[in-house]
Amino acid sequence: MAGTRAAIRYAKAILSMADSIGVANEVNNDMILIASTIKGNSELNAFIQSPTISVEVKESALLEVFANINGVSKGFFHLLFENKRF
């Protein structure tokens, strides 16, 4: 999704929401961590890309892997999975 219009809209929306509640820097750091972790781990990337693994299993696993991220970022995971945009 990186670089698409949808990606830009999602990024603007989450940062706007995070800014409105005062956690924009934290959410930005979460997004950097998530992106670099997925990019740097081929097994995790393959897991996310796999069409045979259910959305629920992927979301649950990622929430466990990134257990320490902000609640806004966790909600963003759910939104992306719900809309098939992860």
Side-chain angles (χ1 to χ4, degrees):
M1 183 166 90
T4 67
R5 283 191 220 178
I8 293 167
R9 285 193 305 266
Y10 277 96
K12 285 180 181 179
I14 190 171
L15 286 175
S16 175
M17 182 173 61
D19 190 42
S20 73
I21 59 174
V23 294
N25 285 334
E26 190 175 336
V27 169
N28 184 56
N29 291 337
D30 289 347
M31 295 302 132
I32 291 168
L33 171 69
I34 292 163
S36 65
T37 301
I38 292 170
K39 184 177 180 181
N41 187 319
S42 59
E43 289 178 2
L44 182 58
N45 196 347
F47 172 81
I48 292 167
Q49 303 282 335
S50 176
T52 61
I53 300 171
S54 75
V55 171
E56 294 79 13
V57 170
K58 290 177 187 179
E59 181 181 10
S60 177
L62 286 175
L63 288 174
E64 197 165 315
V65 168
F66 298 107
N68 294 326
I69 63 174
N70 184 282
V72 172
S73 301
K74 289 178 183 179
F76 189 57
F77 270 173
H78 182 72
L79 180 67
L80 290 176
F81 278 116
E82 196 173 80
N83 294 326
K84 297 177 174 77
R85 293 283 188 179
F86 201 83

